[in-house]
Amino acid sequence: FTSVSGVQSRDGEGGHSLIASNNTLKPAPGTGLSPKKSSKNDNFMEKARSTLTTEIKTGSIQVSTEARGIVLALAGDTFFKSGSTDLEEGAINTLSKVAELLRNLPNPIAVEGHSDTTAVSKGDLINSNLMLSAARAVTVTEALELLDVPKERLSATGFGDAKPARPNDTPEGRAYNRRVEILIRFDAEN
């Protein structure tokens, strides 16, 4: 035998196995870990940066690439008042630009809400960071649907304070963690 593997090496086979092979191991399908660079991703990134130049410069949107796809991170404080699930005035103009980018893509789009660790005021209809982040994700998803992004490609999830992008020990870190991410899954087969 020439290798021990915990990675799927042939279609239909997985788990740990002893195999005689000189082949390079490849990531399992659907993991988004393909080393192949996609010109589709590059074209989308270029178009997104061009379309959202002002929003990127002002910090209301950040555009990045991750293994799971391209992420448009909307700054929570720009799009929502503290503790609110209602879009700020002017947010729909930015979401219109985002919708134009997304409308004709065939890819699944996941809208993910996040919060900082600051407790939500008790007695409100929204009584936890998880509920706040989920409601904000739904608000953005519904806005995108109203802006003609096909609803069958949209999903909304709230993570509360479970997935901070920065430490919550500074005002800047907490502000950054109050965000809604729009994930365009370019790793999916279409």
Side-chain angles (χ1 to χ4, degrees):
F1 66 91
T2 58
S3 66
V4 176
S5 169
V7 177
Q8 182 174 348
S9 60
R10 290 185 220 138
D11 285 344
E13 296 179 8
H16 297 284
S17 62
L18 299 176
I19 56 173
S21 172
N22 292 325
N23 295 338
T24 304
L25 293 177
K26 297 176 186 166
T31 61
L33 299 175
S34 171
K36 181 172 64 173
K37 192 88 166 134
S38 169
S39 62
K40 191 186 333 180
N41 293 20
D42 293 341
N43 291 342
F44 181 84
M45 289 291 285
E46 195 174 299
K47 187 174 179 182
R49 287 190 174 117
S50 172
T51 302
L52 302 168
T53 300
T54 302
E55 292 77 8
I56 292 168
K57 284 182 181 176
T58 62
S60 62
I61 293 183
Q62 291 192 3
V63 181
S64 62
T65 304
E66 298 180 0
R68 57 196 187 125
I70 292 175
V71 176
L72 307 177
L74 314 179
D77 294 348
T78 302
F79 288 83
F80 299 95
K81 288 184 180 161
S82 179
S84 173
T85 62
D86 297 326
L87 287 170
E88 284 277 45
E89 192 173 316
I92 202 72
N93 294 332
T94 301
L95 288 176
S96 293
K97 292 180 182 183
V98 170
E100 188 169 320
L101 289 168
L102 303 176
R103 193 172 294 125
N104 296 317
L105 292 176
N107 309 74
I109 300 162
V111 181
E112 302 175 343
H114 300 271
S115 70
D116 63 16
T117 54
T118 304
V120 175
S121 300
K122 296 298 177 193
D124 290 342
L125 184 59
I126 303 291
N127 60 15
S128 72
N129 282 325
L130 180 60
M131 288 178 67
L132 177 64
S133 67
R136 286 180 171 182
V138 168
T139 297
V140 171
T141 301
E142 288 175 339
L144 291 173
E145 183 182 343
L146 288 172
L147 294 165
D148 297 323
V149 176
K151 66 181 177 183
E152 59 274 0
R153 292 195 354 259
L154 294 168
S155 63
T157 305
F159 289 101
D161 57 19
K163 293 187 174 190
R166 304 256 168 89
N168 278 298
D169 56 359
T170 65
E172 295 80 16
R174 287 188 295 277
Y176 189 84
N177 288 330
R178 293 187 297 269
R179 67 196 189 283
V180 174
E181 294 180 341
I182 299 172
L183 169 64
I184 302 101
R185 295 187 182 277
F186 277 109
D187 59 339
E189 295 297 323
N190 294 307

